[in-house]
Amino acid sequence: MEHLIHSRVKNIEISGIRKFFNMVADRPGLISLTIGQPDFPTPEHVKEAGKEAITGNFTTYTHNAGFLELRQAACDFIREKYGLDYQPDEVITTVGASEALDITFRTILEEGTEVILPGPVYPGYEPLIRLCGAKPVYIDTRPNGFRLSAELIAPHLNERTRCIVLPYPSNPTGATLSEQELREIAALVKGRPIWVVSDEIYSELVYNGRHHSIAKWLREQTIVINGLSKSHSMTGWRVGFVFAPSFVTKHMLKVHQYSVSCTSSISQKAALAALTAGKNDAEAMRLQYRERMEYAYRRLIDMGLKVEKPNGAFYLFPSIAAFGQSSFDFAIDVVNKAGVALVPGSAFSQYGEGHVRLSYAYSLNMLKEGLDRLERYIKERQ
């Protein structure tokens, strides 16, 4: 009966990140620096709000887009943090940022349309795009410090271009875009029949300066994706948000409704606490991530590895091109000989080849042990 499976589903694969993690997860004594999972517990007041939702019987369906108080809080949060002006009918509460991306692409993409992606990039976009019958078009951002720019985008625009994805701060590189770079992209796209999907899930984890959203200059053509997984260490609560003009959210809401009805009511109550009483919860985590980033970055440089210093998220993406191996073979060798797991750069498109991704969403003690092992491995190969 397998021949009855949809060909597009058969032709996509499990994320390269998860595939590699699952491959090595059961190795005894392994130090895994692979997954982008915050190691902080969900803040106590957020957990208490979830408990109160259960005991208070807030356990039924909500409005498909999320209950009104939460949507208003989400609008207030991004207005205060990033200067974005949205109303409650322009936000949908989703089952994590992943579902936000899914309903976005299913609403705006059609057969044969094209989506511009910066390479290297998080592997979760391409399968969703292909399931819509659209085509991902990768742009090599390596010569520009892993940053997409108007100059890089312009030659790839054509009548089939439907969307440009701006995933900044970046997974896997930690790159961010400046206000000037965003203004230039907005000027290039403004007035064209093209959407910008701005994935800002790491927006609260920027180390120098502040996060800027292209929606400030391109509101009517921008769909903003955000959520609480990274900012409030709420990955398992599955709360995301999509912000967009009401003329598009009214259509996205239909896709969302038939997919999930609504986000968990209990998680929504926890999210309300995160966005109000806990609106600055990310700051303490950000400071610790920055400390870890500085430590891990310095260690990699001292090992002789070339690596761009990240300005956001919690990843480093060092080059391993000097070792003359594919990123997968290098990563397997490090697992077998050093007991450290890093994600092969090939998981992040062809433009990630020659790199590995290291997540520093782990304690300093774990980072130290993992980097000590990696350093011994590198010295033995020199």
Side-chain angles (χ1 to χ4, degrees):
M1 298 293 284
E2 188 175 347
H3 67 285
L4 300 180
I5 304 297
H6 198 298
S7 59
R8 288 179 189 158
V9 176
K10 290 169 70 173
N11 289 334
I12 63 174
E13 296 185 6
I14 299 296
S15 156
I17 304 171
R18 286 288 175 177
K19 186 183 295 185
F20 192 80
F21 173 79
N22 294 338
M23 183 186 302
V24 302
D26 295 329
R27 299 287 184 103
L30 183 74
I31 296 289
S32 178
L33 303 178
T34 55
I35 299 298
Q37 165 69 54
D39 68 326
F40 301 100
T42 301
E44 287 299 321
H45 62 96
V46 176
K47 292 191 286 188
E48 287 301 319
K51 294 174 188 177
E52 290 170 10
I54 295 171
T55 57
N57 293 317
F58 193 76
T59 55
T60 60
Y61 294 124
T62 69
H63 187 291
N64 293 124
F67 71 98
L68 180 59
E69 188 179 2
L70 174 59
R71 284 181 284 135
Q72 183 63 62
C75 293
D76 294 343
F77 183 87
I78 65 167
R79 183 178 298 110
E80 178 181 338
K81 295 280 187 174
Y82 316 125
L84 302 180
D85 186 17
Y86 288 94
Q87 300 303 313
D89 65 338
E90 297 178 307
V91 56
I92 300 173
T93 309
T94 58
V95 183
S98 298
E99 195 232 338
L101 287 166
D102 182 42
I103 66 171
T104 295
F105 288 139
R106 285 201 283 159
T107 300
I108 67 173
L109 298 182
E110 294 181 281
E111 192 83 25
T113 53
E114 295 182 354
V115 178
I116 290 175
L117 293 168
V121 71
Y122 170 66
Y125 304 112
E126 179 174 337
L128 298 178
I129 292 164
R130 291 198 180 280
L131 285 171
C132 294
K135 176 186 176 183
V137 176
Y138 288 96
I139 295 178
D140 185 0
T141 63
R142 292 172 298 180
N144 194 43
F146 300 119
R147 301 189 314 278
L148 201 57
S149 67
E151 184 178 4
L152 289 173
I153 293 169
H156 296 272
L157 298 181
N158 58 55
E159 69 280 358
R160 296 180 299 279
T161 306
R162 179 64 57 87
C163 172
I164 300 166
V165 176
L166 294 183
Y168 297 98
S170 163
N171 173 8
T173 69
T176 59
L177 297 189
S178 69
E179 181 176 347
Q180 181 60 30
E181 288 170 320
L182 290 168
R183 285 179 179 272
E184 291 172 0
I185 294 172
L188 173 68
V189 176
K190 193 173 182 64
R192 298 175 185 257
I194 297 172
W195 291 101
V196 171
V197 174
S198 188
D199 186 348
E200 304 179 19
I201 190 66
Y202 294 98
S203 60
E204 286 292 277
L205 302 179
V206 173
Y207 303 123
N208 294 301
R210 56 173 294 187
H211 172 72
H212 297 286
S213 173
I214 196 171
K216 286 179 66 176
W217 305 285
L218 196 68
R219 188 186 191 281
E220 293 303 293
Q221 291 173 241
T222 299
I223 298 170
V224 176
I225 308 295
N226 215 315
L228 300 175
S229 291
K230 314 300 184 181
S231 61
H232 289 74
S233 196
M234 293 177 65
T235 53
W237 296 82
R238 309 310 302 135
V239 180
F241 298 102
V242 56
F243 301 87
S246 58
F247 69 84
V248 65
T249 56
K250 71 179 182 180
H251 295 294
M252 296 172 73
L253 187 60
K254 293 181 286 187
V255 183
H256 170 74
Q257 177 214 325
Y258 288 118
S259 296
V260 299
S261 292
C262 65
T263 303
S264 158
S265 59
I266 297 159
S267 293
Q268 288 189 52
K269 278 291 189 180
L272 178 62
L275 292 172
T276 52
K279 63 184 178 182
N280 294 317
D281 283 347
E283 179 61 14
M285 301 182 208
R286 186 187 67 82
L287 292 173
Q288 290 198 47
Y289 286 136
R290 181 170 188 165
E291 180 183 1
R292 298 173 187 181
M293 179 273 289
E294 295 284 1
Y295 171 76
Y297 173 75
R298 189 167 58 250
R299 290 291 307 273
L300 293 174
I301 292 294
D302 289 345
M303 292 177 207
L305 297 178
K306 295 180 180 179
V307 58
E308 293 277 349
K309 190 172 187 178
N311 190 43
F314 36 60
Y315 309 104
L316 286 150
F317 203 57
S319 171
I320 49 91
F323 294 93
Q325 288 176 289
S326 71
S327 59
F328 181 85
D329 288 344
F330 178 89
I332 286 292
D333 202 43
V334 172
V335 167
N336 290 334
K337 295 179 180 176
V340 182
L342 308 169
V343 180
S346 55
F348 304 96
S349 84
Q350 69 189 81
Y351 300 112
E353 185 54 81
H355 295 78
V356 290
R357 191 192 75 174
L358 181 156
S359 169
Y360 51 89
Y362 296 90
S363 70
L364 276 172
N365 286 339
M366 184 173 286
L367 282 173
K368 182 180 185 306
E369 176 61 27
L371 289 164
D372 285 349
R373 295 183 184 187
L374 181 62
E375 183 174 26
R376 288 193 294 270
Y377 170 85
I378 288 174
K379 283 181 176 178
E380 289 174 0
R381 294 198 58 172
Q382 289 174 339

